[in-house]
Amino acid sequence: MFQENDLIVYGNTGVCRVRAVGPLSGISAARKDRIYYTLEPVYDKGTIYIPVDSKVFMRLVITPEEARALIERIPDIQASPVDCQNQRMLSDQYEASLKTHRCEDLIQLIRTVYVRNQKAVACGKKPAQTDERYMKRAKELLHGELAVALGIDYNDVENYIRKAVERTKFPA
């Protein structure tokens, strides 16, 4: 069970802070005999009330050490081979990557879409909206977790990754 102030990844919402753990009062739909998490999304507004025994995916945010190790492995994480032109099948494949809630899978998804977009541009085409939508979502989830884990601003994550990967490729 998570504790008050824990930072967790909650479903596809992303990073949330656990504000409270316990029964809910003042909410008529809440069962009095259940324990709930009160979650506050870090990068969005609102409050989420979810039973602690819910089937929705929840895990602690990765540690700073895990975040740095993950970033070091980025050059080794390859794009998935995707030759599918069927947008529905492609969407299902991208959705499956999001549902693992693994940072490595988010990186792979981002790389896959990047490669597809490069190929499209090389052929004189525009990147597909499906690709753009899933890349945006994968980046939001990945950057949100890395920002919290590393204690940096969300908007600085991409630059942080770029610099770290450059140092890995070309150590001083």
Side-chain angles (χ1 to χ4, degrees):
M1 194 156 89
F2 303 114
Q3 305 301 313
E4 206 170 292
N5 289 319
D6 280 349
L7 289 166
I8 67 169
V9 173
Y10 171 72
N12 280 330
T13 300
V15 179
C16 294
R17 181 175 305 280
V18 178
R19 282 291 168 211
V21 181
L24 294 178
S25 58
I27 298 178
S28 60
R31 289 182 29 195
K32 305 294 182 224
D33 61 335
R34 289 187 92 175
I35 305 294
Y36 291 81
Y37 291 123
T38 301
L39 305 178
E40 180 180 276
V42 172
Y43 299 106
D44 207 356
K45 291 183 177 21
T47 303
I48 299 167
Y49 303 100
I50 187 79
V52 297
D53 59 352
S54 170
K55 301 275 188 242
V56 175
F57 180 86
M58 292 181 262
R59 68 163 168 79
L60 288 171
V61 166
I62 61 176
T63 66
E65 296 78 21
E66 291 168 328
R68 285 189 285 277
L70 172 71
I71 291 169
E72 284 180 22
R73 289 193 316 274
I74 286 176
D76 299 325
I77 300 173
Q78 301 299 310
S80 294
V82 179
D83 291 325
C84 176
Q85 296 303 317
N86 179 318
Q87 291 301 306
R88 181 68 191 146
M89 288 175 59
L90 193 58
S91 210
D92 289 346
Q93 182 177 342
Y94 290 166
E95 197 65 42
S97 291
L98 292 177
K99 285 183 181 177
T100 68
H101 305 284
R102 294 184 57 229
C103 293
E104 292 86 352
D105 292 338
L106 295 174
I107 293 168
Q108 185 174 47
L109 173 58
I110 292 165
R111 287 201 125 173
T112 300
V113 172
Y114 177 81
V115 168
R116 283 181 50 83
N117 286 350
Q118 293 296 99
K119 286 179 182 176
V121 168
C123 293
K125 298 178 182 176
K126 290 172 38 178
Q129 285 183 345
T130 300
D131 289 337
E132 294 294 309
R133 185 174 65 249
Y134 279 99
M135 180 187 273
K136 181 178 187 262
R137 188 66 192 132
K139 280 185 173 184
E140 288 170 350
L141 293 169
L142 178 67
H143 291 183
E145 185 165 4
L146 290 175
V148 167
L150 295 168
I152 63 176
D153 187 82
Y154 176 91
N155 295 317
D156 295 335
V157 171
E158 198 157 332
N159 196 37
Y160 181 97
I161 292 170
R162 187 176 295 110
K163 286 180 178 177
V165 169
E166 284 174 10
R167 279 194 305 271
T168 303
K169 285 183 183 177
F170 310 108

